[in-house]
Amino acid sequence: MKVQLTPNKEVFNFCNPYIIAEIGANHNGDMDLAKKMIDSAVECGCDAVKFQSWTPQSLIAKEEYDRNQSYDDSAKKHFGSLKEMVEKYYLRDEQHLELKQYCEHKGVDFCSSPFSKGEVDMLVKLDVPFLKIASMDINNLPFLKYAAKTMKPIVVSTGMSNMAEIETAVKTIQAEGNNQIVLLHCISIYPPKDKDIHLRNISMLQQTFDLPIGFSDHSFGASIPLASVALGACIIEKHFTLDKDLPGWDHEISANPVEMKTICADSKKIAAALGNTFRVVSEEEEQKKAKFRRSIVSAKNLEKGHVLTEADLNYKRPGTGIPPNEYHYLLGRKLNQAVDEDFLFNWNNFE
């Protein structure tokens, strides 16, 4: 199945993957930093930058705020209370518009994850190409229904979910008449252990749902998302930062520009190198046969009239003579001329 993810990008399993730089809240509430990150993502070759659309009221309940009144700042990743961080890091509506316009100017897709119905409405008004549903909302069926009714393509991360929950989410979206669905294999640990990533789930999800399957990655470095391309991931979503040491929730597990550039460049190489499932010998390889393959040659000096036996034959480059797999046609044939050792046989040398 194929999904028209954006006006210019159709995604399907084993396509050239669509690379999303997940800025999320890594802008730290600083619009200048956000724009620098967009610039860097464009330089890296990303197809899209993604933000997160939530407010202090739309995501977290009072009980959770009350439980997180302060952070241990020994790692210099947090400050104050959870509510203070949320207040600083959330994007206002007018900032969404500003960033969307900046992305249009830079020629990169702007997208975001909504966390409430109001944020869905706001993103639809901005005419984002698709809606990204975070893993935490895969069982939020009323929210999935609301998002599906927009008829925007829906990209769903599957972290923390079992197969029944994934199936229910897919059916919930489809029940609204929206079949433009992409699932992202995801492990919602920051970072996960290698043994817990289970990249083969990509193949399993492809076979189970007949939908385009991508990968939302929280591992360190570029190797794991690049490996997902070999399994056919149609989207790679990777957290992105300019500096892993910046304060904030996700900088440490994010790709820096060097890593993101590697992901963007090498994912295209891998997708191209996967090729077809049927055997193909390229024109360039055909041309190398004459130089690199062997031909049948005489193993020693032979007289005219000699009847060839297997002991008379040897096999050496170049491949412009009789190929070795036709040796049995020479056995018992009589030479019409004398030949020296290493003579390259052709069919005119026999009576």
Side-chain angles (χ1 to χ4, degrees):
M1 181 176 174
K2 298 180 180 180
V3 168
Q4 192 70 44
L5 191 67
T6 76
N8 300 316
K9 180 64 175 181
E10 186 179 57
V11 296
F12 50 92
N13 295 324
F14 293 97
C15 71
N16 196 356
Y18 184 82
I19 310 297
I20 301 173
E22 165 69 290
I23 293 176
N26 277 355
H27 53 77
N28 290 359
D30 182 338
M31 290 294 283
D32 288 337
L33 177 59
K35 291 176 181 178
K36 288 177 181 177
M37 296 179 78
I38 293 170
D39 292 343
S40 183
V42 170
E43 290 174 5
C44 290
C46 296
D47 298 292
V49 293
K50 193 181 82 65
F51 294 88
Q52 295 175 4
S53 301
W54 36 261
T55 70
Q57 295 76 39
S58 66
L59 181 60
I60 299 170
K62 182 177 182 300
E63 180 178 333
E64 184 72 3
Y65 283 134
D66 291 344
R67 189 165 41 243
N68 293 276
Q69 289 299 311
S70 64
Y71 280 107
D72 172 13
D73 197 32
S74 59
K76 297 182 179 180
K77 299 296 182 184
H78 306 88
F79 63 88
S81 65
L82 174 60
K83 189 168 187 177
E84 288 173 318
M85 291 193 75
V86 169
E87 285 281 357
K88 179 174 175 57
Y89 287 173
Y90 88 92
L91 287 176
R92 281 63 172 171
D93 285 4
E94 63 273 14
Q95 291 175 322
H96 280 81
L97 176 59
E98 183 179 347
L99 292 175
K100 168 76 159 41
Q101 292 173 338
Y102 191 78
C103 287
E104 290 174 348
H105 175 67
K106 290 293 182 176
V108 67
D109 294 334
F110 170 92
C111 56
S112 188
S113 292
F115 289 84
S116 73
K117 294 178 180 179
E119 288 141 10
V120 169
D121 293 341
M122 182 263 296
L123 292 174
V124 170
K125 187 176 179 180
L126 286 176
D127 195 26
V128 294
F130 58 90
L131 296 173
K132 165 65 198 305
I133 305 299
S135 290
M136 70 180 73
D137 281 320
I138 198 166
N139 68 339
N140 188 349
L141 302 187
F143 183 60
L144 291 181
K145 286 183 180 181
Y146 194 84
K149 287 177 181 177
T150 68
M151 302 312 293
K152 292 279 187 184
I154 306 295
V155 179
V156 184
S157 279
T158 59
M160 302 178 289
S161 60
N162 59 38
M163 289 298 290
E165 290 171 325
I166 299 171
E167 182 179 13
T168 299
V170 170
K171 288 183 175 179
T172 298
I173 296 168
Q174 291 174 333
E176 302 303 321
N178 191 336
N179 294 306
Q180 295 284 91
I181 304 168
V182 181
L183 297 177
L184 303 185
H185 173 52
C186 179
I187 304 299
S188 296
I189 303 295
Y190 297 71
K193 297 176 182 176
D194 291 346
K195 68 180 183 64
D196 293 330
I197 295 175
H198 300 293
L199 282 180
R200 288 190 176 120
N201 272 211
I202 294 172
S203 303
M204 179 272 294
L205 291 170
Q206 291 168 350
Q207 296 167 12
T208 302
F209 293 103
D210 190 28
L211 293 171
I213 307 298
F215 180 48
S216 179
D217 181 51
H218 300 134
S219 68
F220 289 130
S223 59
I224 301 301
L226 288 174
S228 77
V229 180
L231 292 169
C234 64
I235 292 175
I236 295 176
E237 180 186 68
K238 179 76 171 177
H239 283 269
F240 183 58
T241 185
L242 298 183
D243 184 350
K244 293 174 185 281
D245 292 325
L246 285 172
W249 293 310
D250 297 325
H251 291 280
E252 186 178 6
I253 59 91
S254 299
N256 62 25
V258 173
E259 292 166 332
M260 186 61 82
K261 189 173 291 187
T262 297
I263 292 170
C264 290
D266 288 0
S267 66
K268 291 177 173 59
K269 291 174 63 176
I270 293 168
L274 287 174
N276 300 303
T277 55
F278 54 89
R279 185 67 183 169
V280 175
V281 179
S282 69
E283 182 178 344
E284 289 81 1
E285 275 194 304
E286 288 287 354
Q287 293 172 356
K288 295 196 80 168
K289 285 182 182 179
K291 183 176 181 180
F292 284 90
R293 282 195 169 179
R294 301 178 188 238
S295 298
I296 303 175
V297 301
S298 56
K300 52 192 172 185
N301 296 339
L302 299 171
E303 297 179 353
K304 180 179 178 180
H306 181 79
V307 177
L308 292 180
T309 68
E310 195 165 347
D312 299 323
L313 307 181
N314 205 345
Y315 310 91
K316 296 184 180 182
R317 289 179 178 177
T320 54
I322 301 171
N325 55 304
E326 296 183 7
Y327 79 98
H328 52 284
Y329 295 121
L330 274 66
L331 301 180
R333 301 288 291 270
K334 185 181 292 186
L335 289 172
N336 62 14
Q337 65 182 83
V339 300
D340 295 329
E341 182 180 350
D342 270 353
F343 180 80
L344 190 73
F345 286 118
N346 63 69
W347 294 112
N348 295 323
N349 302 138
F350 310 105
E351 293 185 359

